[in-house]
Amino acid sequence: MKSDRPGRAAEPGPATPSEAPVRLVLGGTEVAEYVLDPALDARHGPRPYLHPVRTLAGTVVTDALPADHVWHLGASLAVQDVDGSNLWGGRTYVRDVGYTWRDDHGVIAHTGEVERSPGRYAHDLQWRDRAGGVLLTERRGLAASVVAPDTWRLDVDSVLTAPADREVRLGSPATNGRPGGAGYGGFFWRAADGREPAVFTADTAGEETVNGSAAPWLALTGVGSGGGAYTLVFAGLGQDDRWFVRTGMYPGVGVAFAFDRPAVVPAGGSRHGRYRVWVTDRTLDRDAAAALVA
């Protein structure tokens, strides 16, 4: 399998937020920490992110700042090409050239709190280019809810809005010429990797067939670093979205906005997304995963 790794980046300093992180709590159990303002090198795509995310039994199911891709930040929203600005981190894929370090890294910045309670958080953000110009504004909401004694669900609601005077193009390495199904960029979850996970949908299994599919849901089963088994079940593809999946090189699942063709947010218009992730302490089979989503 061809590696997604575009080359070693400089190691970042510790992710010490200048604003205290948000903690999602269910029945007294903290299930996720949401870092609002990480102090990261611009090359690592600074943005709010969820990490650690835990099962109700405490197994950590996200990874952040891993050595292979230091710009992977738990669960977050990020796009490598937003009108020519890299808001994902790492090298930028340039058509007919390949991955290249460019001075094109922007930031996704928290700008204001809307709602905060133990199981809910909402805020406003700006997607900015390297000079601080606003490419998109966003209203984002997070909600955690208990589904069963060993299962909870994360809901992420996002509304991205373009400026009134211009459309905004969202692209990926794939839309910029990279082969191999590298259509990443959107809502992305870097999973914990105690061992290589399994991935499946209602009718297919394995990275090669699931990557790029438009199945209504997708499940990833793995083992956390402490040895605890977990399953993540994802739903929330938009009309033209596709699943981006990696299991061999690293464990990751994303709702890809521009898997094989650019997506456009029209001038003054909005892109709405609702992403759901069921987090369970069990290793689910296909029927059990489908029952969660039903």
Side-chain angles (χ1 to χ4, degrees), residues 4-280:
D4 284 321
R5 184 175 178 178
R8 185 75 175 180
E11 293 294 338
T16 53
S18 60
E19 184 166 346
V22 175
R23 304 183 189 281
L24 297 180
V25 177
L26 292 172
T29 298
E30 182 180 314
V31 293
E33 181 175 303
Y34 187 47
V35 182
L36 290 174
D37 186 19
L40 295 175
D41 188 299
R43 293 170 297 173
H44 303 323
R47 58 193 183 270
Y49 65 92
L50 287 153
H51 178 75
V53 179
R54 299 180 176 90
T55 68
L56 289 172
T59 297
V60 175
V61 295
T62 51
D63 195 3
L65 303 169
D68 54 18
H69 293 73
V70 293
W71 46 90
H72 286 184
L73 302 177
S76 68
L77 275 78
V79 175
Q80 196 192 63
D81 181 356
V82 183
D83 268 357
S85 291
N86 182 340
L87 302 187
W88 175 272
R91 298 185 184 187
T92 299
Y93 194 87
V94 180
R95 187 177 299 276
D96 300 324
V97 176
Y99 279 111
T100 305
W101 282 112
R102 302 179 68 185
D103 189 16
D104 63 353
H105 293 90
V107 62
I108 301 174
H110 161 75
T111 58
E113 185 171 294
V114 176
E115 177 187 1
R116 183 193 292 250
S117 65
R120 301 181 66 86
Y121 186 73
H123 65 141
D124 291 323
L125 307 95
Q126 290 181 344
W127 294 41
R128 300 171 180 163
D129 63 22
R130 61 178 294 276
V134 177
L135 300 163
L136 294 163
T137 58
E138 182 186 0
R139 171 68 59 87
R140 184 182 303 174
L142 309 175
S145 56
V146 175
V147 175
D150 59 2
T151 304
W152 69 279
R153 190 182 75 212
L154 172 70
D155 287 72
V156 180
D157 289 277
S158 170
V159 181
L160 289 168
T161 302
D165 60 347
R166 61 183 174 85
E167 68 178 25
V168 177
R169 176 188 177 277
L170 308 177
S172 67
T175 65
N176 288 327
R178 182 183 166 181
Y184 58 79
F187 175 67
F188 178 72
W189 189 294
R190 174 65 190 250
D193 57 354
R195 70 181 186 199
E196 183 173 338
V199 64
F200 56 88
T201 67
D203 54 9
T204 192
E207 175 183 331
E208 297 298 328
T209 55
V210 173
N211 186 52
S213 73
W217 59 266
L218 177 153
L220 181 143
T221 64
V223 174
S225 58
Y230 69 85
T231 300
L232 305 172
V233 182
F234 299 84
L237 291 185
Q239 181 177 354
D240 296 318
D241 298 339
R242 296 293 183 269
W243 294 114
F244 172 74
V245 178
R246 291 290 185 261
T247 56
M249 182 56 56
Y250 60 82
V253 173
V255 174
F257 296 168
F259 188 83
D260 54 10
R261 55 184 174 181
V264 175
V265 185
S270 298
R271 176 187 176 91
H272 297 247
R274 186 176 192 186
Y275 317 110
R276 288 182 166 182
V277 187
W278 287 260
V279 181
T280 182

